[in-house]
Amino acid sequence: MPLPLIRPPETTGRGTLWWVRAALGATGLAAVGYALFGLLTNVPPAQLVGVAAWLAAALLVHDGVLVPLTTLAGGGLSRLTYGLRPLQQGIVRGALLVGAVVTLVAAPLIRAQQVLQPTGPGSGANDTVLQGDYGQALGLFWLVLAVAATAGVAAAGLYARRSSVKKTRP
């Protein structure tokens, strides 16, 4: 028996959903407008060029690097997780994607910590910048993510197995 999908309740008409979607869309547009207003009023025009360049670079990195890599990884994962159900494959893919993005965010901090805070006597390291052990925190994050993903895959498998067992007694 397939897992139940999230559907609107039978009693909810399409009109209600349309109003909910319209309200969420209007809220989102208001938030974007507020953010743009704050950006244009608080950032000097010379820095807006830098912000625009950063946004363009982020778009290029996203579409030029992240999307192709995740597409390739997704294709490879489909082969590695062949015996799993689609929900379980989705959990594995989601966990790996979250882990990869967090690693991409943490990697510059770990490198900067290595460069700016050399160890040893007389190194002149400034302990007030880049506090914390980012490498250890990243390792702990991956451990928690692996445990959570494993639990999710196991739970989805158990649920699917229990749902497929047919009752013999009424």
Side-chain angles (χ1 to χ4, degrees):
M1 178 178 174
L3 292 175
L5 298 175
I6 298 174
R7 294 186 183 132
E10 298 294 331
T11 58
T12 304
R14 292 188 183 267
T16 303
L17 281 179
W18 187 88
W19 282 107
V20 168
R21 289 177 181 157
L24 289 173
T27 304
L29 284 176
V32 168
Y34 179 73
L36 284 176
F37 176 75
L39 178 72
L40 294 176
T41 57
N42 293 326
V43 177
Q47 290 184 353
L48 286 177
V49 174
V51 170
W54 186 89
L55 288 174
L59 182 66
L60 287 175
V61 168
H62 177 267
D63 289 349
V65 176
L66 191 59
V67 171
L69 286 178
T70 55
T71 302
L72 286 174
L77 279 175
S78 293
R79 292 180 182 262
L80 290 176
T81 59
Y82 179 71
L84 297 178
R85 297 176 186 267
L87 177 63
Q88 294 169 320
Q89 289 179 352
I91 291 171
V92 171
R93 285 183 186 157
L96 288 176
L97 183 63
V98 167
V101 170
V102 170
T103 301
L104 282 176
V105 170
L109 295 172
I110 293 171
R111 180 64 184 146
Q113 198 170 36
Q114 291 173 346
V115 171
L116 296 176
Q117 294 181 344
T119 58
S123 63
N126 187 355
D127 292 334
T128 59
V129 294
L130 298 175
Q131 296 177 348
D133 190 357
Y134 298 111
Q136 182 182 13
L138 183 63
L140 182 63
F141 171 79
W142 272 101
L143 179 67
V144 170
L145 185 66
V147 169
T150 302
V153 167
L158 286 175
Y159 180 79
R161 182 181 299 169
R162 288 188 72 188
S163 298
S164 65
V165 173
K166 296 186 177 173
K167 293 180 182 179
T168 56
R169 288 189 285 173

